Amino acid sequence: MFSRLPFGKRNDVSIPLMSGKFKAFKEGWKNAIGHKFEGLDYEVIQNDLYQRDMIIKTPWTFKRREIMRWIVSMLIGICTALVGFFIVSVGNLITDAKFTLTLSQMHHCDSTAICFWVPFLVWVSLSTGLVFLASLFVAFEPVAAGSGIPEIKCYLNGIKIPRVTRMVTLIAKATGVLFSVAGGLAVGKEGPMIHSGAIIGAGVSQGNFVAFGKDLGLFRYFRNDREKRDFVSSGAAAGVAAAFGAPIGGVLFSIEEGASFWNQNLTWRSMFCSMVCSFILNVLLSGTSGHSWGLLSQPGLLSFGEFKDVPYDARQLPFMCLLGIVGGLCGAVFNWSNIQLTKLRLLYRHKRWARALEATFVGLLTATLTFSVPYVLPHCRTPATPLPPDQMLRYQFYCAEGQLNGHAELFFSPWEDSIKALFHGTEDYSFRSLGVFFGIYSFLAMITYGIGVPSGLFVPSLLAGSAMGRLLGQLFNLIFPNLNLNPGGFALIGAAAFLGGVVRMTISLTVILIESTNDISYGMPIMLTLMISKWVGDYFTEGIYDYHIELNKIPLLGWDAPFNMRSVKTSEFMSHPPVTFQEVERVENIINVLKSTTHNGFPVTKSDGKFMGIILRHQLTILLKKKNIFRNTRAILDRRPNGWIHFETRLCGSLSQIPRGARCQRDARRDAIFHQPCSILQCTTSNSIT
């Protein structure tokens, strides 16, 4: 009920209190909440139907269901690993083909003009075409746009978002992100991977595919909001494990950023699911990347490399805390800029073709900058240690033989490789290279997040932050040479600071970065930096995910109520009189109420006005839409003087037709009928109906 309240921490609707009333509440209602969203039922209500169902169950029934929960968790981990393997394998093939075609034109030319324009046109055409393909998947399934983390966060906290856990969304998300990343956009695979894992958790646990009209008949006893929520949590944790090779961080992510409902058993199952996912993906990636099968060397889609040879001492902690302050400020500026742009998009970008056109333009702009900046502003240098031939061929980029272009190492490269170069590069970059890259790439990441393609925000934030951290690390080293600061370590801390300033995550992000780097020694500075960046960022703005939740008008309550709502009672802003149902209602009246209202929860009262509970719109809709709702009907009371008969029916499996003019009496607090495979329903019907 309370998840459907319209106001969050910050909202476009003004809510000053005047004489205990909200000013302009009615005028702002439609702007404050999206009516397409509905609350989910997560709590088990100890009603008569539930107690009656528990009596007929044996202890073995509960043990069997617990065993099946573990089996389903394992299946979710395996399927998530397979999807991650598909994304990284096919994505790498497309990316390698794009670089190969461009480099072949670059190194086989006859004149200076041809050496630039032909490779430039090939690069821009391929990149823009791939981005356009990614936008087509979102045009087909709009909910596949973005990272999906805000939507999954809302789902785990009780908000049902249409189509967010459909298999069609998974296909559009997993396939579209291939082309987004291969097209060179400032995006990552991590957010879509988390969303994909959550969809797999929802689909596998239900044993049916609504989008394709296929019902496998499996796991029917898990087909309720509570069980589905738990498996979606495990799937999201497995998605983090697949993205970063961080199963512990995945579980903490689901706890911190996702679910507000949790228990110890779910923690163990989520951990098991994440471990299975990370292990299977590690085996597949290691075996297909030139290593022997069974040699576990690639636990996730993104690996930062180890920092065992990058020491630091306690004297560097103040400088790392300063990085946290800078990261929080940069994150606040990033979020504010992106939100202003998103508001413009909501005003002027309504058609699907407009979203595809915008995404294609951003892809064109990104491809133009990533190719032209290293050409216009070259930074040629001779590497101290020889690079592999394929990297030397790519990074030479119009420099003399044996030299590499520092800007090409950052711009003209897959973004994951750029992160590793900033983390583990042994030679200093020029301040101009780092400054130009940080400014341009931050701008590209800001305008890219929110366009109509599947896109993650982790990699762009990490890359922009690593450039900022490396820049400041080299600057500190120049000012304080006696401290012997390591720029690579400061690049890691800067990446954490910028990402923390954008998404405002603390515990889970600390563990994710520790697991990704395989080094606990940086745990303390990473945690300190993330805390400081979050505090600084929260002083100016909210996290990027919270902002997008509010702009999409999803009625998710924050952890704390706004200050001016702490003394407000529910009766002060509820509509009057409330739309209610009696315990026994005519079908005609139910239909009229559903047509004339837009909210999704209806109080159920007795004839004397006593509140009995809440029934949701989708529960009523299912009752009315299904045709065979009654089975094994038998009258248990005599005909009444008013011409009505009271009878009882047992609902098992398929639903049946509701008699015309019938009035049904059932437990109104929860839809226990659909939560249990067999339940009791009492109805009253006219004696003229058989």
Side-chain angles (χ1 to χ4, degrees):
M1 175 180 175
F2 294 106
S3 64
R4 292 183 288 277
L5 297 181
F7 302 116
K9 190 174 181 181
R10 289 180 175 86
N11 204 289
D12 293 336
V13 180
S14 173
I15 53 171
L17 296 179
M18 285 188 146
S19 303
K21 302 295 181 182
F22 284 109
K23 184 179 180 181
F25 174 78
K26 292 183 178 180
E27 292 78 6
W29 171 261
K30 290 187 177 181
N31 295 325
I33 187 172
H35 297 303
K36 61 181 179 180
F37 305 116
E38 187 170 355
L40 296 169
D41 282 340
Y42 286 160
E43 293 301 321
V44 175
I45 302 301
Q46 304 291 332
N47 52 33
D48 293 339
L49 293 177
Y50 179 80
Q51 296 294 340
R52 198 179 307 179
D53 191 60
M54 291 297 103
I55 291 174
I56 64 176
K57 287 182 169 60
T58 63
W60 169 244
T61 302
F62 297 98
K63 292 180 180 179
R64 183 180 59 189
R65 290 190 181 181
E66 185 63 24
I67 293 172
M68 293 308 300
R69 288 188 182 98
W70 285 90
I71 294 175
V72 171
S73 298
M74 181 182 67
L75 293 176
I76 293 170
I78 294 173
C79 293
T80 304
L82 293 176
V83 171
F85 178 70
F86 165 77
I87 291 175
V88 69
S89 300
V90 179
N92 288 343
L93 288 176
I94 298 174
T95 302
D96 292 342
K98 185 182 74 168
F99 275 100
T100 300
L101 289 174
T102 305
L103 291 173
S104 65
Q105 297 297 323
M106 186 182 301
H107 294 282
H108 296 84
C109 55
D110 299 326
S111 64
T112 304
I114 296 178
C115 281
F116 173 77
W117 286 108
V118 173
F120 172 76
L121 293 176
V122 171
W123 174 264
V124 170
S125 300
L126 291 175
S127 299
T128 307
L130 291 171
V131 173
F132 176 72
L133 289 176
S135 68
L136 293 181
F137 285 94
V138 173
F140 173 72
E141 184 54 79
V143 76
S147 67
I149 293 178
E151 290 79 7
I152 294 302
K153 178 179 178 180
C154 293
Y155 183 90
L156 294 177
N157 284 279
I159 307 298
K160 182 180 180 182
I161 301 176
R163 306 186 65 85
V164 74
T165 57
R166 294 289 182 89
M167 292 305 296
V168 174
T169 306
L170 172 63
I171 295 173
K173 197 86 173 186
T175 310
V177 73
L178 297 176
F179 300 108
S180 299
V181 175
L185 288 175
V187 300
K189 302 183 286 285
E190 292 66 36
M193 192 67 243
I194 296 170
H195 189 185
S196 299
I199 298 174
I200 292 171
V204 172
S205 64
Q206 303 303 291
N208 64 347
F209 303 97
V210 178
F212 305 110
K214 298 293 183 181
D215 190 346
L216 303 180
L218 302 174
F219 315 127
R220 291 184 180 274
Y221 34 82
F222 294 149
R223 295 182 183 181
N224 58 73
D225 291 340
R226 182 184 180 87
E227 295 283 358
K228 186 176 180 181
R229 181 273 320 276
D230 289 348
F231 289 117
V232 169
S233 299
S234 298
V240 176
F244 296 99
I248 301 175
V251 176
L252 292 176
F253 173 86
S254 292
I255 296 175
E256 178 185 9
E257 194 70 12
S260 57
F261 301 85
W262 205 263
N263 58 68
Q264 185 178 10
N265 292 331
L266 178 58
T267 304
W268 273 112
R269 291 200 305 270
S270 298
M271 186 68 183
F272 174 69
C273 180
S274 300
M275 284 292 187
V276 169
C277 177
S278 182
F279 176 79
I280 298 296
L281 183 61
N282 201 339
V283 171
L284 294 174
L285 291 179
S286 301
T288 56
S289 60
H291 300 86
S292 61
W293 289 90
L295 179 62
L296 306 180
S297 59
Q298 291 184 258
L301 306 185
L302 177 63
S303 176
F304 299 139
E306 297 184 1
F307 281 78
K308 292 182 178 179
D309 298 327
V310 187
Y312 75 94
D313 58 54
R315 295 178 299 169
Q316 300 176 13
L317 287 178
F319 299 97
M320 295 178 177
C321 293
L322 180 60
L323 264 182
I325 296 175
V326 176
L329 292 174
C330 292
V333 173
F334 182 95
N335 290 358
W336 181 86
S337 303
N338 180 264
I339 292 307
Q340 303 310 310
L341 181 60
T342 303
K343 290 179 179 179
L344 291 176
R345 286 170 173 159
L346 293 176
L347 288 176
Y348 300 107
R349 191 197 60 182
H350 302 291
K351 303 295 184 180
R352 297 189 182 187
W353 63 264
R355 301 186 71 185
L357 183 62
E358 181 200 23
T360 305
F361 172 76
V362 174
L364 175 64
L365 176 63
T366 303
T368 302
L369 290 175
T370 53
F371 194 93
S372 60
V373 170
Y375 182 82
V376 176
L377 300 173
H379 179 248
C380 299
R381 59 183 175 86
T382 302
T385 56
L387 297 178
D390 57 336
Q391 293 187 17
M392 197 65 196
L393 182 66
R394 181 189 302 172
Y395 299 148
Q396 182 181 347
F397 206 86
Y398 301 107
C399 288
E401 190 70 25
Q403 291 186 325
L404 59 83
N405 191 330
H407 278 146
E409 194 174 4
L410 298 176
F411 282 101
F412 193 70
S413 176
W415 302 129
E416 290 86 351
D417 293 348
S418 300
I419 293 177
K420 291 181 181 179
L422 291 168
F423 282 175
H424 302 288
T426 56
E427 300 180 44
D428 286 349
Y429 290 84
S430 68
F431 290 104
R432 186 186 72 169
S433 297
L434 294 173
V436 169
F437 178 76
F438 173 71
I440 293 178
Y441 189 79
S442 299
F443 170 76
L444 291 176
M446 185 273 296
I447 65 173
T448 301
Y449 190 72
I451 64 174
V453 297
S455 59
L457 192 58
F458 279 80
V459 165
S461 299
L462 290 171
L463 182 51
S466 60
M468 175 197 71
R470 181 117 191 171
L471 175 64
L472 293 179
Q474 292 183 185
L475 179 61
F476 294 152
N477 221 3
L478 184 65
I479 300 174
F480 306 100
N482 295 331
L483 291 179
N484 194 25
L485 305 178
N486 189 290
F490 271 75
L492 173 64
I493 301 302
F498 193 94
L499 180 57
V502 172
V503 301
R504 312 293 163 79
M505 294 163 52
T506 52
I507 302 174
S508 58
L509 188 54
T510 300
V511 177
I512 288 172
L513 292 176
I514 291 174
E515 289 186 280
S516 300
T517 56
N518 294 319
D519 189 6
I520 192 64
S521 63
Y522 272 85
M524 183 63 180
I526 288 175
M527 184 184 68
L528 264 179
T529 304
L530 287 172
M531 290 172 58
I532 293 173
S533 65
K534 174 178 170 56
W535 291 337
V536 173
D538 284 342
Y539 184 81
F540 297 99
T541 62
E542 292 186 43
I544 190 73
Y545 297 143
D546 296 325
Y547 264 134
H548 279 266
I549 288 172
E550 292 180 7
L551 289 178
N552 289 326
K553 301 176 184 177
I554 303 176
L556 176 68
L557 286 181
W559 291 108
D560 299 313
F563 180 78
N564 56 355
M565 291 186 66
R566 294 177 184 271
S567 59
V568 177
K569 298 179 180 179
T570 306
S571 58
E572 294 187 58
F573 58 87
M574 285 185 63
S575 59
H576 184 78
V579 180
T580 64
F581 287 125
Q582 299 292 318
E583 286 186 295
V584 180
E585 278 288 353
R586 286 182 176 271
V587 173
E588 180 182 8
N589 183 48
I590 295 175
I591 294 176
N592 291 335
V593 170
L594 293 178
K595 286 182 177 180
S596 61
T597 60
T598 56
H599 60 280
N600 295 305
F602 301 92
V604 179
T605 62
K606 285 188 173 182
S607 57
D608 59 358
K610 182 180 179 180
F611 175 74
M612 300 300 296
I614 290 286
I615 190 168
L616 301 181
R617 175 181 291 269
H618 85 273
Q619 296 167 351
L620 294 169
T621 303
I622 291 176
L623 280 170
L624 296 174
K625 288 177 65 176
K626 298 296 181 177
K627 293 212 172 164
N628 288 322
I629 192 169
F630 294 119
R631 177 185 290 183
N632 302 330
T633 302
R634 60 184 180 84
I636 62 173
L637 294 178
D638 297 332
R639 295 180 181 273
R640 298 180 179 178
N642 58 6
W644 294 82
I645 296 177
H646 190 74
F647 63 88
E648 180 183 272
T649 182
R650 181 170 294 275
L651 186 73
C652 300
S654 63
L655 303 179
S656 61
Q657 183 171 3
I658 189 166
R660 185 176 181 181
R663 296 191 299 178
C664 296
Q665 183 176 2
R666 53 189 291 281
D667 185 270
R669 298 179 66 189
R670 279 288 187 268
D671 190 14
I673 293 173
F674 299 115
H675 287 188
Q676 304 299 333
C678 186
S679 301
I680 302 299
L681 183 68
Q682 292 182 341
C683 288
T684 307
T685 183
S686 170
N687 58 11
S688 62
I689 300 175
T690 59

